[in-house]
């Protein structure tokens, strides 16, 4: 005896799924001594000091303050200088479909003393996913002594962030990179770590 069953279900994902969260990769190099003190925030050579730099500088300044530094006012003298560089590339992508049409087919064959069941299932996406901004970004910071321009520490953080288009999260990337870059500061020289 054979039997077949066709199952069709429309399953809502509720609201569109949240964008994925990516870790940040951090590499740092340091001198034997990494002093604290007053520190000025300046753009790395070739970096514009416009609004994007200001967002990164604010995030780096907060992270340095948490590590015991005193951020000097623009133009003021300081013992140390932090040179800040950054890059980002954003493209528009679509998230997953908000609904899935679930399909299942099952069947069975039964004879004397036993039977065999088999089934196949799958899903068909319904509708278009929301637009999202997919950004790959890098932050680099070099800390030098102002006197003699001697380097004492440098680090680079790289991450990826996907967020809903138009949500106004422009400062999310600088803050995420700066927080990761100064996690466990000054860190082990030459080692690459992953910060979630």
């Amino acid at each position: 005896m054979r039997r077949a069953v066709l199952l069709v279900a429309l399953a809502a994902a509720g609201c569109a799924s949240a964008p994925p969260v990516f870790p940040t990769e951090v590499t740092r190099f340091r001198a034997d001594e990494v002093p604290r003190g007053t520190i000025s925030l300046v753009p790395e050579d070739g970096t514009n000091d416009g609004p994007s730099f200001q967002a990164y500088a604010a995030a780096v300044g907060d992270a340095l303050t948490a590590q015991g530094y005193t951020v000097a006012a623009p133009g003021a003298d300081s013992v140390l200088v932090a040179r800040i560089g950054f890059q980002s590339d954003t493209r528009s992508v679509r998230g997953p479909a908000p609904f899935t049409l679930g399909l299942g087919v099952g069947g069975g064959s039964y004879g004397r003393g036993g039977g065999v069941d088999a089934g196949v299932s799958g899903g068909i996406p319904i509708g278009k996913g929301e637009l999202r901004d997919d950004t790959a970004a890098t932050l680099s910071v070099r800390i030098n002594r102002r006197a003699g321009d001697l380097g004492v520490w440098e680090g680079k953080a790289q991450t990826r962030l996907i967020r809903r288009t138009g949500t106004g999260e422009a400062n999310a990337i600088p803050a995420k990179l700066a927080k990761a870059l100064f996690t466990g500061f000054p860190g082990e020289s030459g080692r690459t770590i992953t910060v979630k």
Side-chain angles (χ1 to χ4, degrees):
M1 175 180 177
R2 295 172 181 269
R3 65 180 181 179
V5 179
L6 176 63
L7 301 174
V8 180
L10 182 63
C15 40
S17 61
V21 177
F22 298 92
T24 302
E25 188 176 272
V26 175
T27 305
R28 297 173 287 201
F29 298 90
R30 53 173 291 187
D32 291 337
E33 181 186 359
V34 182
R36 303 301 198 271
T38 55
I39 189 165
S40 297
L41 309 180
V42 300
E44 185 61 270
D45 293 343
T47 299
N48 188 295
D49 64 351
S52 294
F53 168 76
Q54 298 304 326
Y56 278 93
V60 169
D62 289 344
L64 286 169
T65 299
Q67 295 299 329
Y69 290 89
T70 300
V71 176
D77 198 11
S78 63
V79 174
L80 301 160
V81 178
R83 302 188 182 280
I84 301 169
F86 58 90
Q87 293 180 334
S88 66
D89 179 42
T90 300
R91 61 190 181 96
S92 186
V93 297
R94 283 202 178 274
F99 301 98
T100 300
L101 181 64
L103 300 175
V105 178
S109 176
Y110 299 90
R112 293 180 182 177
V116 177
D117 284 318
V120 178
S121 64
I124 300 173
I126 305 295
K128 290 184 177 180
E130 65 183 353
L131 280 176
R132 295 176 176 177
D133 291 332
D134 184 351
T135 301
T138 301
L139 167 66
S140 63
V141 177
R142 291 191 300 128
I143 298 177
N144 292 4
R145 293 182 185 271
R146 184 178 291 278
D149 199 30
L150 296 175
V152 296
W153 184 92
E154 65 179 270
K156 181 171 75 172
Q158 302 175 85
T159 196
R160 182 178 171 202
L161 181 67
I162 297 180
R163 61 194 189 281
R164 295 182 176 92
T165 299
T167 53
E169 298 177 357
N171 288 338
I173 294 175
K176 179 180 181 180
L177 287 169
K179 180 179 179 182
L181 185 58
F182 291 94
T183 294
F185 179 83
E188 184 178 339
S189 188
R191 183 185 175 195
T192 299
I193 63 171
T194 298
V195 180
K196 295 183 179 179

